[in-house]
């Protein structure tokens, strides 16, 4: 039974690779989100974990607090063409919902840890969404945008946690992390 389960996982992973390859989403060399040379992403595997605790309890216990989650946002506009055709409307809804729930203004943002697929369409859509959201902010021209995928590739199910850990460490240590391999901004994106 264990062998059948292992074979099933291998087959599903190969099917994912085939599907991503068929649409030109995989790069043979590297992931360079938001770079003009972006030609897809490199697949990887990974895992990560965050220790979450109520803020009041963490303070009273004297814990070293690296970050506080004040809001979350998710969205699906329901009209998209699928996971490989990103929607500005859905992305904007997710970002705006998170900031509304957190009670912070977008003027407070200094770093965006983006999805950064390293595909021309995905990167352009994401940058276009961020431009729309931050265009009215006085700090909008000074918001750093990065993606952990340039360092470790796309970890599929662990991509979000990897990006979260990177963002927490960047803010906690007051470091603006560079993007590996980034040279020239993607000309299809609205910077």
């Amino acid at each position: 039974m264990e062998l059948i389960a292992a074979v099933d996982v291998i087959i599903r992973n190969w099917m994912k690779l085939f599907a991503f390859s068929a649409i030109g989403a995989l790069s043979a060399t590297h992931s360079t989100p938001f770079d003009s040379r972006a030609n897809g992403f490199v697949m990887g595997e990974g895992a990560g974990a965050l220790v979450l605790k109520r803020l009041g309890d963490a303070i009273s216990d004297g814990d070293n607090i690296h970050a506080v989650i004040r809001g979350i946002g998710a969205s699906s506009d329901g009209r998209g063409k699928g996971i490989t055709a990103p929607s500005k409307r859905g992305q904007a809804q997710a970002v705006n919902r998170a900031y509304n729930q957190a009670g912070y203004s977008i003027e407070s943002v200094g770093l965006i840890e983006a999805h950064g697929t390293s595909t021309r369409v995905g990167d352009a859509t994401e940058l276009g969404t961020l431009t729309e959201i931050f265009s009215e902010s006085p700090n909008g021209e000074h918001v750093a945008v990065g993606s952990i995928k340039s360092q470790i590739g796309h970890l599929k199910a662990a991509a979000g946690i990897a990006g979260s850990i990177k963002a927490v460490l960047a803010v906690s240590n007051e470091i603006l992390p560079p993007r590996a391999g980034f040279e020239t901004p993607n000309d299809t994106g609205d910077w």
Side-chain angles (χ1 to χ4, degrees), residues 75-97:
S75 174
S76 170
D77 63 12
R79 296 186 181 108
K81 296 178 183 175
I83 194 167
T84 59
S87 158
K88 278 188 183 180
R89 179 177 176 230
Q91 290 179 0
Q93 283 178 339
V95 172
N96 289 324
R97 285 176 179 167

Side-chain angles (χ1 to χ4, degrees), residues 123-145:
D123 288 355
T125 302
E126 193 165 13
L127 286 173
T129 300
L130 294 173
T131 297
E132 284 179 18
I133 292 169
F134 291 100
S135 63
E136 296 180 21
S137 168
N139 298 333
E141 293 182 15
H142 303 288
V143 176
V145 178

Side-chain angles (χ1 to χ4, degrees), residues 69-124:
I69 299 171
R70 298 266 186 209
I72 58 171
S75 174
S76 170
D77 63 12
R79 296 186 181 108
K81 296 178 183 175
I83 194 167
T84 59
S87 158
K88 278 188 183 180
R89 179 177 176 230
Q91 290 179 0
Q93 283 178 339
V95 172
N96 289 324
R97 285 176 179 167
Y99 277 93
N100 288 336
Q101 187 181 70
Y104 286 106
S105 165
I106 59 169
E107 283 91 23
S108 66
V109 177
L111 171 66
I112 295 284
E113 177 60 25
H115 188 60
T117 60
S118 197
T119 61
R120 294 186 70 75
V121 172
D123 288 355

Side-chain angles (χ1 to χ4, degrees), residues 35-48:
D35 190 89
S36 63
R37 299 168 299 128
N39 63 354
F41 55 86
V42 175
M43 295 287 269
E45 294 287 344

